[in-house]
Amino acid sequence: MLAVWVDQLLGFASAALAAIRQKEHYPDFMIWVRAEGGDYFNGDVATAQALAPVLWSQTPLERRGFASEPLAKPGPSEPCWCDSGRKYKQCCARVEFLTEIPEQMMWMLSLREWKGATLKAALDSGEAPAQALLEAGLVAAESGQTGRAMQVLESLFDRRDWSRLPEQAEPAFEILLDLFQERGFTRKRTELLDEVLERGPLFLRGVALERLCLAHLDNDDLDSARAAFVRAQQALPDSPTLAYIEAMLLLHEGYEEEARERADFWYRRLLRQGELDEDQLDFLAALADNPGATLADQLLSAEEDLATPLISLQSLLAALPVAPKLAFDVDADTRRIVYRESARESTLFAAWHAAFQVMVDEDVALGFRDDPWGNAVEWMSELCANPEWLDCPQVVQDLTLALTSRFGSLPWMAPSLLEPLAQRLSRWLEQARAEGEGSLCWDDGDNAFLLRTGLALVVGMERGAREHSRRLAEQLLAINQEDSLGLRELVLDQLLRDERNREALALAENAEDDGSLWLNILMGRTLALYRLERWEQAEAALAEVKRHSRYALDMLCAESPRPALPDKAGRIDPGTKAEAWQYRTLMRDQWRTTAGALEWLGEHR
């Protein structure tokens, strides 16, 4: 009975809305109700007449600037508001509805129907009830109307009076943030997060802080991520999401054992509180047992269509045989080592490319001309059926770049997806070195396939397999003596993160300014000297930093500086604010966690 009633109510309300829109005049609406309303309730005109004044009273009217024109509910002996001419107690008062009539129903139905300028005007009017905006936005998002959903939900959260916001708004808030990101409205997303963090209700502030933390992790800004996490803990100390985020944060910072210990702490704490369901507790227990593997499994299960081929790819990479021998030539006069693709390797690449279909963009360090993930199910399935394709370095290059573009910022994916490929590349680099002393330079032969793969793997494994990343970077630096590819800076950063300060200092002092990330070398040397308590040398190194960049110290010492982005071409010039911001993003957490280091910098600005 209830389901039938709900269907009848919605059907009548939709038809009533269309009738009201004809003239937005109550007597004309009631003429329609008496003529056709009973059709929606199996001929029961009384129910239609009793509902009509209720629905009219909550309907937004365009002629009134989207305000409603509510009717005063009559007293028992007053004329009924359905214009029947009878007393209310003898007319509509006798009709009982099976459910309460939602106060926002006609607004919600209107928001589903309006388009273009009318929808914009209705939202701008400020008359829409928050609950109607919430429901209409969620319905639009679920039905794939992303533009409408974003427009409606923006209006829901564009309010000075946050107290009117329903607590069920949390999923809508997350949907709106996702829509902003998917549709490229980065600025709007940032402004909404800032607004909620400053003035929003507590339940939304916690979600905003969690999202902010994840965004900083995506950008490799560990210091800002840690600060956002601490604020989230203070806002929502018992949120189970914090366990998940803290595990991710600690893995990004390279503290796998601490991630396991903290996940165990969260599990025991939330278990005692007894407010989580069995699935949530099982997830936390798995997180405490093996954080990296649990987060990797969660990501795979969330990938939907890609889950099965990704799992198959993991199995393939785990069972890869030893890399085959490549053909290298060595020029005795120039001492240059050159790899050239063989006929077999060219054939393997041609078969692979027929499935993969995307070419590497040779004008950028690590990128493609198109998105390789549009047909990922096809190329992963084909690769798993033809594992011999991975005997070809150009195939390994394409696969590595594709995997790092999607999973390189997730430390827990490195062991299963990137480390097997790194082992294969190391084997090929060992073969090149076995040919004799010499340099494997980027522009010679097909060397770029090997070097581009190595650069992608070093970057992709930097968080999730730091030691392996550093070893591979050192192997590349040893065999490519003409171009550091930015690897020297990466190795320096990793040594500092591992507190190997003497090795870091030796690397920094032997470096030459090749125009790439030189601020990292100067600041890395300064930090190593400070940690080693070589105060005079540290001050001299800091003076060199200030000669190179007048922004670096201010940017590093500030708690919340304004981001400075690369130019339109993505270039970061030495000595600019963008260079200082890049260094802050990468390494401020190391200065912050070194006792007294930030204070020392502040004193020497």
Side-chain angles (χ1 to χ4, degrees):
M1 281 291 291
L2 186 59
V4 172
W5 158 252
V6 171
D7 285 343
Q8 290 176 337
L9 173 61
L10 287 173
F12 176 69
S14 297
L17 184 62
I20 291 171
R21 293 281 176 252
Q22 295 295 316
K23 294 184 178 179
E24 293 193 346
H25 187 230
Y26 183 65
D28 291 302
F29 169 52
M30 290 308 301
I31 291 172
W32 173 85
V33 172
R34 282 189 283 274
E36 300 183 30
D39 296 344
Y40 297 89
F41 298 99
N42 298 324
D44 183 0
V45 178
T47 297
Q49 287 191 164
L51 267 173
V54 177
L55 299 184
W56 169 269
S57 295
Q58 61 171 258
T59 300
L61 303 174
E62 291 183 57
R63 64 177 171 81
R64 298 201 66 214
F66 302 97
S68 60
E69 198 170 66
L71 303 170
K73 188 175 180 179
S77 297
E78 292 178 338
C80 188
W81 57 355
C82 75
D83 287 349
S84 66
R86 288 176 290 172
K87 293 180 180 180
Y88 178 61
K89 65 183 178 182
Q90 295 169 344
C91 190
C92 290
R94 294 181 174 183
V95 179
E96 293 185 6
F97 306 136
L98 289 182
T99 62
E100 293 288 329
I101 308 304
E103 295 178 3
Q104 73 284 354
M105 183 164 65
M106 296 301 275
W107 252 107
M108 194 270 287
L109 292 174
S110 296
L111 290 171
R112 287 175 55 184
E113 296 297 327
W114 281 326
K115 298 176 182 177
T118 305
L119 176 62
K120 183 179 185 305
L123 295 174
D124 290 345
S125 72
E127 295 285 347
Q131 190 67 33
L133 292 168
L134 173 64
E135 293 176 12
L138 292 176
V139 168
E142 289 170 4
S143 60
Q145 301 175 71
T146 55
R148 175 183 289 271
M150 191 174 81
Q151 192 176 3
V152 173
L153 292 178
E154 268 192 276
S155 183
L156 172 64
F157 293 104
D158 183 21
R159 291 173 175 271
R160 296 177 185 270
D161 184 7
W162 289 100
S163 64
R164 296 177 57 198
L165 202 63
E167 288 213 13
Q168 307 94 308
E170 184 178 319
F173 178 64
E174 297 198 66
I175 287 171
L176 181 56
L177 291 174
D178 290 339
L179 288 174
F180 280 151
Q181 186 150 335
E182 288 169 14
R183 295 167 65 87
F185 290 91
T186 307
R187 186 172 180 178
K188 283 190 173 185
R189 186 179 188 275
T190 301
E191 288 173 353
L192 177 59
L193 283 170
D194 289 344
E195 176 71 16
V196 169
L197 289 173
E198 202 168 322
R199 285 180 284 274
L202 186 61
F203 73 94
L204 278 190
R205 211 174 302 159
V207 176
L209 285 165
E210 291 169 357
R211 283 304 190 98
L212 196 60
C213 183
L214 293 174
H216 289 316
L217 286 178
D218 285 343
N219 293 327
D220 257 356
D221 188 351
L222 301 187
D223 196 65
S224 298
R226 172 60 66 179
F229 173 76
V230 170
R231 289 176 65 190
Q233 267 189 308
Q234 294 166 348
L236 290 176
D238 295 321
S239 170
T241 308
L242 292 176
Y244 164 73
I245 293 177
E246 186 171 25
M248 286 197 293
L249 179 57
L250 288 167
L251 288 174
H252 272 275
E253 292 172 334
Y255 303 128
E256 186 171 356
E257 187 55 39
E258 189 173 344
R260 183 179 290 108
E261 291 171 0
R262 289 295 296 169
D264 184 60
F265 160 79
W266 281 105
Y267 171 72
R268 288 183 282 105
R269 175 178 176 174
L270 296 172
L271 179 63
R272 284 196 302 271
Q273 291 178 359
E275 296 178 0
L276 300 188
D277 60 38
E278 190 173 336
D279 288 343
Q280 290 174 309
L281 287 173
D282 287 346
F283 174 75
L284 289 178
L287 201 63
D289 180 58
N290 191 328
T294 301
L295 291 174
D297 288 344
Q298 187 199 44
L299 182 142
L300 289 174
S301 63
E303 287 289 347
E304 297 181 357
D305 293 344
L306 293 180
T308 299
L310 273 172
I311 292 170
S312 298
L313 180 61
Q314 285 179 318
S315 300
L316 167 65
L317 295 176
L320 274 181
V322 175
K325 189 168 179 58
L326 302 182
F328 291 96
D329 297 323
V330 181
D331 188 310
D333 296 327
T334 62
R335 298 170 62 84
R336 295 168 86 99
I337 305 171
V338 181
Y339 157 68
R340 287 189 175 83
E341 197 170 68
S342 69
R344 176 176 180 267
E345 289 154 10
S346 296
T347 301
L348 293 174
F349 175 74
W352 153 259
H353 187 68
F356 190 66
Q357 300 177 1
V358 179
M359 292 298 295
V360 166
D361 186 346
E362 296 180 357
D363 294 332
V364 298
L366 303 173
F368 293 100
R369 294 178 186 171
D370 297 297
D371 179 16
W373 291 94
N375 65 327
V377 173
E378 290 77 8
W379 60 253
M380 280 193 284
S381 300
E382 288 294 318
L383 179 60
C384 290
N386 299 276
E388 69 278 4
W389 289 351
L390 291 173
D391 289 351
C392 171
Q394 195 173 0
V395 174
V396 174
Q397 167 199 262
D398 287 0
L399 179 61
T400 299
L401 263 61
L403 293 176
T404 53
S405 71
R406 191 171 183 113
F407 305 113
S409 62
L410 305 175
W412 43 93
M413 300 306 293
S416 63
L417 293 178
L418 300 181
E419 286 201 275
L421 296 173
Q423 291 166 1
R424 201 165 194 75
L425 178 66
S426 289
R427 171 74 172 168
W428 283 331
L429 295 177
E430 289 167 4
Q431 291 175 13
R433 173 54 67 223
E435 297 294 330
E437 290 299 318
S439 185
L440 190 78
C441 299
W442 188 284
D443 294 327
D444 294 344
D446 294 318
N447 291 354
F449 300 154
L450 299 171
L451 296 174
R452 189 179 285 111
T453 302
L455 183 57
L457 286 167
V458 169
V459 173
M461 297 191 303
E462 186 182 5
R463 299 291 187 206
R466 184 181 297 163
E467 180 64 23
H468 199 161
S469 173
R470 185 178 59 78
R471 289 200 311 269
L472 180 57
E474 290 171 341
Q475 192 177 13
L476 288 163
L477 284 170
I479 202 167
N480 180 10
Q481 299 162 8
E482 294 190 3
D483 183 3
S484 74
L485 306 176
L487 294 174
R488 185 177 290 108
E489 292 84 350
L490 287 171
V491 172
L492 175 60
D493 292 351
Q494 291 175 359
L495 289 171
L496 288 169
R497 289 185 177 281
D498 292 339
E499 291 283 350
R500 299 167 68 167
N501 298 310
R502 285 186 173 79
E503 292 174 67
L505 180 60
L507 180 63
E509 290 183 335
N510 290 327
E512 296 179 1
D513 186 358
D514 62 2
S516 64
L517 301 176
W518 186 238
L519 180 61
N520 290 51
I521 297 293
L522 297 177
M523 290 299 297
R525 180 173 61 183
T526 305
L527 179 58
L529 287 166
Y530 178 86
R531 286 176 171 178
L532 294 168
E533 299 182 359
R534 300 183 187 179
W535 310 120
E536 290 185 9
Q537 291 174 276
E539 288 185 14
L542 194 58
E544 191 173 348
V545 169
K546 290 193 283 187
R547 286 194 293 272
H548 174 84
S549 171
R550 63 191 181 94
Y551 304 109
L553 300 192
D554 287 341
M555 190 72 80
L556 203 58
C557 292
E559 284 301 320
S560 301
R562 183 186 296 275
L565 303 178
D567 62 22
K568 292 181 179 179
R571 186 177 61 248
I572 295 177
D573 292 326
T576 60
K577 281 187 178 180
E579 182 192 40
W581 171 259
Q582 181 187 55
Y583 180 76
R584 183 190 194 280
T585 298
L586 292 172
M587 291 298 289
R588 188 179 190 268
D589 65 308
Q590 291 301 297
W591 285 91
R592 178 178 51 79
T593 54
T594 299
L598 281 179
E599 292 81 359
W600 178 76
L601 284 181
E603 292 168 0
H604 289 80
R605 277 192 283 180

